[in-house]
Amino acid sequence: MGWIVSILLGALAGWLASIIMKKDASMGAIANIIVGIVGGVIGRAIAGFAGISADKVSIGGVAIAVLGACILLWLVDLVRGRK
């Protein structure tokens, strides 16, 4: 059951990040899930360095995952050379 919740929250975080970063039209559902899950890992790492606990499923945890997903999308654009 935990994996299903993680995938659903990852999809939500990836979708929100794609809207924030204006990538929603170019990304599909699978890409949103992957970006959200990887973004969650990035966000959790950043939160850990900042001393913020992000262990529970909450609005704060989703916000951290969205922040991490936005950072991931920004880094991908930076590497690809797009504005």
Side-chain angles (χ1 to χ4, degrees), residues 7-31:
I7 290 171
L8 291 174
L9 288 178
L12 175 65
W15 176 66
L16 290 173
S18 70
I19 290 172
I20 292 169
M21 299 299 288
K22 297 183 179 23
K23 302 280 181 208
D24 194 38
S26 65
M27 293 178 59
I30 300 298

Side-chain angles (χ1 to χ4, degrees), residues 10 12-18 21 27 32 34-43 46 62-76:
L12 175 65
W15 176 66
L16 290 173
S18 70
M21 299 299 288
M27 293 178 59
N32 281 339
I34 293 170
V35 166
I37 291 172
V38 174
V41 172
I42 293 170
I46 292 170
V62 173
I64 288 172
V66 170
L67 175 66
C70 287
I71 291 170
L72 176 64
L73 290 173
W74 177 74
L75 288 172
V76 168

